[in-house]
Amino acid sequence: MVERIEDLNLPNAVITRLIKDALPDGASVSKEARASIARAASVFAIFVTSTSTALAHKQNHKTITAKDILETLSKLDFESFIPSLSQDLEAYRKMVKDKKESKASKKDANMPSNAEDATTIKATNNESANE
């Protein structure tokens, strides 16, 4: 599973960026404090994941869903996180949907508009292959 306990830590660059975004300009955080925050965040993520896994297994699910995470946060008395997480989840889902639609529309724009065009393209490709 995990070879070293350090493998469970979140990336330092991510933690540093989050800390920097949360603090006012000019504020600084020591290296030890950043390491402590990173460790605490990792422990919290593992705790929520473990509890969500247990919840999913109780419901005979093999996969943890966003619903399981939100329900877990509620059970662990972290209800104050749920509104902002739900809002971020909806924004993420919208972004993924928009990206899929954008790809589909680009794909449709590159596709032949009717069967005649498809036949022409196929004939052209066959001629090129025979040369």
Side-chain angles (χ1 to χ4, degrees):
M1 191 159 91
V2 175
E3 293 180 20
R4 301 178 325 210
I5 194 72
E6 293 82 24
D7 293 342
L8 297 174
N9 288 341
L10 296 170
N12 287 332
V14 172
I15 297 299
T16 301
R17 186 177 66 237
L18 290 171
I19 292 169
K20 184 178 176 183
D21 290 347
L23 294 176
D25 291 338
S28 62
V29 177
S30 72
K31 186 176 180 179
E32 294 84 16
R34 281 195 309 270
S36 296
I37 292 169
R39 184 72 180 138
S42 297
V43 168
F44 179 74
I46 292 166
F47 178 55
V48 170
T49 302
S50 174
T51 308
S52 297
T53 301
L55 178 66
H57 283 288
K58 277 185 187 177
Q59 298 172 352
N60 295 322
H61 298 154
K62 293 183 179 182
T63 304
I64 301 171
T65 64
K67 179 183 169 195
D68 296 324
I69 298 292
L70 296 174
E71 191 173 332
T72 296
L73 290 172
S74 177
K75 287 184 178 192
L76 296 175
D77 293 329
F78 289 104
E79 290 93 1
S80 62
F81 291 8
I82 294 173
S84 62
L85 286 174
S86 296
Q87 188 177 17
D88 290 341
L89 178 61
E90 288 305 313
Y92 171 76
R93 286 178 175 164
K94 184 182 182 324
M95 180 187 69
V96 169
K97 182 181 176 187
D98 291 347
K99 192 173 182 178
K100 281 183 182 180
E101 289 173 355
S102 175
K103 276 187 175 181
S105 65
K106 284 181 183 178
K107 187 176 181 181
D108 289 343
N110 292 334
M111 297 283 288
S113 59
N114 59 38
E116 184 178 309
D117 290 340
T119 305
T120 304
I121 290 171
K122 187 175 179 180
T124 303
N125 289 341
N126 286 340
E127 289 172 9
S128 298
N130 291 335
E131 291 178 354

